[in-house]
């Protein structure tokens, strides 16, 4: 997992819960990085899982909800870091249905070792989309948060329903309807 995902995560934890919480979840985890991340580095996904698990235990907020809020923050990082990529799109459905064949392809050019999910478009109309998410990392709520903010970016909203195809969250169906 790319370092920017860790640095932005710990920044948000500090902003919401204070530096003591950052120190606490780092010391509760067994981290090869010792909790020292640079935005261009690459670190084990298990480090993110441990940080999330301990933050969840300390705050009583579910990992899914932590990932949702984190993704909403991460979207503003994307807006600031990759404005050109977003400017290619005029519509949220077009953008979300292009993650697999365009957006994440560009991401991989920037970060060849990025660990990205697979999105399969099952159905698409002007204002609806059915997408299958597949990833061993089961970060579907990170996807949900990014989708919410994609609609907000285009001054729009949507009703997004998530159906787990696999119990462990590694395969999930998203039913997206623009309001
Ligand atoms: C992961 C970039 C849009 C869904 C990532 C990562 C980056 C990235 C850097 C981390 C990879 C790693 O740590 O190895 C971007 C950029 C975008 C964009 C620059 C827009 C310009 C989206 C959108 C979605 C999405 C709109 C919404 C569905 C995900 C998910 C992951 C991810 C779910 C987590 C990895 C996983 O589930 O396996 N993306 N992304 N991305 N992205 Fe995107």
């Amino acid at each position: 997992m790319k370092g920017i995902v860790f640095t932005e995560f710990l920044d948000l934890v500090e902003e919401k819960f204070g530096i003591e919480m950052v120190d606490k979840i780092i010391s509760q985890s067994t981290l090869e990085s010792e909790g020292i991340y640079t935005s261009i580095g690459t670190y084990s996904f298990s480090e993110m899982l441990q940080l999330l698990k301990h933050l969840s235990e300390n705050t009583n907020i579910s990992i899914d909800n932590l990932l949702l809020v984190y993704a909403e923050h991460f979207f503003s990082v994307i807006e600031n870091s990759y404005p050109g990529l977003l400017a290619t799109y005029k519509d949220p459905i077009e953008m979300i249905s292009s993650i697999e064949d365009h957006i994440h392809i560009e991401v991989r050019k920037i970060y060849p070792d990025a660990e990205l999910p697979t999105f399969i478009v099952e159905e698409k109309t002007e204002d609806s989309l059915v997408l299958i998410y597949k990833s061993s990392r089961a970060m579907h709520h990170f996807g949900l948060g990014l989708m919410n903010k994609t609609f907000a970016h285009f001054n729009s909203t949507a009703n997004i329903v998530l159906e787990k195809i696999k119990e462990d969250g590694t395969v999930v169906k998203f039913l997206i309807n623009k309001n």
Side-chain angles (χ1 to χ4, degrees):
M1 174 160 271
K2 294 310 299 175
I4 190 169
V5 184
F6 289 89
T7 55
E8 290 297 334
F9 175 72
L10 292 177
D11 282 356
L12 187 65
V13 174
E14 178 174 350
E15 187 191 311
K16 300 270 185 204
F17 303 105
I19 189 76
E20 304 75 19
M21 183 62 86
V22 173
D23 291 342
K24 190 172 180 181
I25 62 174
I26 287 174
S27 61
Q28 287 174 329
S29 305
T30 311
L31 306 172
E32 208 184 314
S33 68
E34 297 178 347
I36 301 158
Y37 302 102
T38 67
S39 64
I40 53 161
T42 302
Y43 306 90
S44 162
F45 174 64
S46 75
E47 297 205 0
M48 179 53 72
L49 264 191
Q50 290 188 66
L51 294 168
L52 279 168
K53 177 174 169 280
H54 292 125
L55 184 62
S56 173
E57 286 166 3
N58 294 326
T59 59
N60 274 322
I61 302 170
S62 69
I63 289 182
D64 279 352
N65 272 327
L66 291 171
L67 277 174
L68 178 74
V69 171
Y70 176 42
E72 294 184 349
H73 165 79
F74 196 76
F75 193 85
S76 61
V77 176
I78 291 174
E79 283 179 318
N80 293 325
S81 308
Y82 308 99
L85 210 46
L86 293 186
T88 328
Y89 297 96
K90 292 182 184 64
D91 174 87
I93 300 271
E94 283 305 325
M95 179 169 149
I96 293 168
S97 61
S98 306
I99 303 165
E100 182 71 17
D101 293 339
H102 174 229
I103 293 178
H104 278 172
I105 303 267
E106 294 302 314
V107 171
R108 195 173 293 292
K109 289 184 193 165
I110 307 166
Y111 306 116
D113 55 357
E115 295 177 297
L116 298 164
T118 302
F119 283 104
I120 300 160
V121 176
E122 270 209 336
E123 284 172 44
K124 179 171 176 268
T125 70
E126 213 169 276
D127 46 20
S128 75
L129 190 63
V130 178
L131 263 191
I132 306 290
Y133 162 90
K134 289 187 189 174
S135 169
S136 60
R137 289 165 292 285
M139 289 177 70
H140 41 81
H141 270 63
F142 188 75
L144 180 60
L146 291 177
M147 289 179 200
N148 285 336
K149 285 292 174 182
T150 301
F151 279 91
H153 175 82
F154 294 100
N155 297 313
S156 176
T157 57
N159 176 34
I160 305 178
V161 175
L162 197 150
E163 271 176 18
K164 280 189 185 172
I165 306 284
K166 273 198 169 180
E167 192 59 47
D168 64 3
T170 56
V171 185
V172 169
K173 182 183 273 198
F174 285 92
L175 300 119
I176 305 166
N177 281 289
K178 196 172 171 180
N179 291 318

